[in-house]
């Protein structure tokens, strides 16, 4: 006769942090190694011009994997599926340090992109589907905090390993946090998320059954969610990781060190705001947070090239960071509100694919605008795109949210 499961049962909060950590450590496998790729190419005599191809191969893998990985959740149990993908991701990442030829490196990064995209899509879909309706804001805020923390830890970890053991070992070390989180789940599994998603709160006796998202409404909502994902990834890769350092070291008057401090300040302020924002979301706020969040993100981007003193430039970065942090919580919450749990995989896969396309198109497009019309025009393009995408999502929300929100917070 089967023995009962005697493993300790973890709290709901711990289970949420664990699932967020699984997502965050999957993202760390590329966040840790991307900065060392130029050094890795140089060590083995691989042409530096291939760096773009190596990075693009990883991005292509993500685009290819997102939607199929999400849809497969309808047929495959989530826990063994995610564990298998993450073990494979850890193995491929670790083995990349052994690649001493351009072809092998590009091939391994392509496979890592497929596995990494699949892991994050599966993780987010499970998180959205399994989060309790009245706690989705807190869950998504936790995900944001864990992801930001994982990114910061990854940067430090990558730099330390490169300095101590060289770029090849960075790939192996990047896989260790993934395995640590898998062991954590083996010892104290996130049962709430691996079993049937939490059901919605029961309707009030005698109240009419109200569905605020129907037919074409859900279609337009999906288009709006994809548009926001495209715009935020576009701005992140073209702005944060592309144009912002160029402006900072030029008219902004910052150095690499002070830009790092400004970025860290934006991250810390955003982290401090997340618990409060999560509570507001769980209290029913949707458009009421999207409006100021979108305005802050767009304003920060627009002001960057106009700030000619370091303090002003740093303030614009903080405003942008807080705005995008607030906006970033809401798509997952809205997805959970609007779509049944079994649809979460497909929705997350589509929105992440839209985001990855924005990441691929953004840098080329924005630097083309900067070359033709200057940095101010390029930042204006970013600001307008983010503003319009947030506005599109607000327009796609139902005009009457009260019945859904009443059930969500009961």
């Amino acid at each position: 006769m089967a023995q009962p499961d005697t493993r300790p049962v973890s709290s709901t909060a711990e289970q949420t942090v664990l699932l967020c950590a699984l997502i965050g450590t999957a993202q760390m496998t590329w966040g840790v190694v991307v900065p060392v790729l130029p050094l890795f190419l140089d060590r083995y005599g691989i042409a530096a011009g291939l760096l773009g191809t190596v990075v693009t191969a990883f991005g292509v893998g993500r685009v290819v994997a997102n939607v199929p990985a999400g849809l497969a959740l309808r047929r495959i149990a989530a826990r063994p599926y995610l564990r298998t993908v993450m073990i494979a991701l850890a193995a491929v990442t670790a083995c990349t340090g052994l690649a001493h030829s351009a072809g092998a490196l590009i091939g391994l990064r392509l496979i890592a992109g497929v596995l990494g995209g699949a892991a994050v899509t599966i993780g987010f879909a499970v998180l959205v589907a399994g989060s309790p309706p009245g706690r989705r804001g807190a869950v998504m805020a936790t995900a944001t905090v864990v992801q930001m923390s994982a990114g910061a830890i990854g940067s430090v970890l990558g730099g330390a390993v490169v300095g101590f053991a060289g770029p090849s070992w960075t790939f192996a070390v990047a896989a260790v946090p993934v395995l640590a989180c898998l062991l954590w789940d083996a010892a104290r599994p996130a049962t709430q998320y691996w079993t049937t998603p939490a059901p919605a709160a029961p309707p009030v006796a005698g109240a009419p059954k109200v569905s605020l998202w129907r037919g074409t409404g859900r279609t337009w909502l999906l288009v709006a969610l994809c548009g926001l994902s495209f715009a935020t990834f576009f701005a992140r890769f073209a702005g944060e990781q592309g144009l912002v350092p160029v402006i900072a070291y030029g008219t902004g008057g910052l150095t690499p060190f002070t830009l790092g401090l400004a970025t860290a300040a934006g991250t810390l302020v955003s982290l401090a705001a997340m618990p409060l924002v999560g509570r507001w979301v769980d209290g029913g706020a949707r458009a009421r947070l999207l409006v100021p969040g979108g305005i802050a993100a767009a304003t920060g981007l627009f002001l960057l090239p106009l700030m000619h003193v370091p303090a002003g430039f740093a303030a614009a970065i903080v405003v942008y960071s807080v705005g995008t942090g607030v906006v970033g919580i809401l798509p997952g919450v809205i997805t959970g509100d609007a779509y049944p749990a079994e649809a979460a995989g497909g929705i997350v896969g589509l929105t992440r694919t839209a985001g990855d396309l924005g990441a691929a198109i953004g840098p080329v497009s924005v630097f083309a605008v900067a070359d033709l019309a200057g940095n101010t025009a390029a930042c204006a393009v970013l600001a307008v795109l983010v503003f319009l995408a947030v506005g599109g999502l607000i327009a796609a929300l139902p005009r009457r949210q009260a019945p859904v929100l009443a059930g969500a917070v009961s």
Side-chain angles (χ1 to χ4, degrees), residues 23-159:
I23 298 169
T25 54
Q27 292 174 317
M28 279 177 65
T29 60
W30 63 85
V32 171
V33 303
V34 166
V36 309
L37 283 173
L39 300 175
F40 185 80
L41 295 177
D42 182 65
R43 167 163 292 194
Y44 295 105
I46 301 172
L50 285 174
L51 179 59
T53 303
V54 172
V55 174
T56 299
F58 183 86
V60 169
R62 284 171 50 169
V63 170
V64 169
N66 288 330
V67 174
L71 292 176
L73 277 169
R74 296 189 176 195
R75 302 185 304 275
I76 306 174
R79 190 185 188 210
Y81 183 20
L82 181 58
R83 289 173 69 86
T84 300
V85 169
M86 292 192 69
I87 289 171
L89 175 61
V92 170
T93 300
C95 290
T96 303
L98 304 175
H100 300 163
S101 69
L105 180 60
I106 292 170
L108 286 168
R109 293 308 290 165
L110 176 64
I111 296 171
V114 170
L115 295 168
V120 175
T121 294
I122 298 163
F124 266 115
V126 171
L127 190 69
V128 169
S131 57
R135 292 276 299 161
R136 286 197 181 107
V139 169
M140 294 305 156
T142 301
T144 301
V145 169
V146 173
Q147 284 182 280
M148 287 183 173
S149 302
I153 294 169
S155 298
V156 174
L157 181 63

Side-chain angles (χ1 to χ4, degrees), residues 136-305:
R136 286 197 181 107
V139 169
M140 294 305 156
T142 301
T144 301
V145 169
V146 173
Q147 284 182 280
M148 287 183 173
S149 302
I153 294 169
S155 298
V156 174
L157 181 63
V161 173
V162 169
F164 180 74
S168 295
W169 280 98
T170 306
F171 294 92
V173 172
V176 172
V178 172
L179 300 177
C181 281
L182 290 173
L183 289 174
W184 180 5
D185 182 61
R188 299 173 63 87
T191 307
Q192 170 185 319
Y193 294 97
W194 302 134
T195 55
T196 304
V204 178
K209 293 182 179 180
V210 180
S211 175
L212 297 182
W213 278 279
R214 291 193 185 97
T216 57
R218 281 186 177 177
T219 301
W220 282 114
L221 180 63
L222 178 56
V223 171
L225 288 167
C226 289
L228 182 60
S229 182
F230 177 89
T232 52
F233 274 62
F234 189 105
R236 182 183 306 163
F237 284 83
E240 290 179 48
Q241 301 181 20
L243 195 60
V244 169
V246 173
I247 301 173
Y249 303 149
T251 58
L254 275 70
T255 65
F257 177 70
T258 54
L259 176 59
L261 290 179
T263 303
T267 300
L268 290 174
V269 174
S270 298
L271 288 174
M274 286 304 106
L276 179 60
V277 173
R279 286 197 294 273
W280 283 341
V281 172
D282 288 335
R286 299 293 187 271
R288 291 200 306 274
L289 283 172
L290 280 169
V291 170
I295 290 173
T299 300
L301 286 167
F302 184 77
L303 291 178
L304 284 172

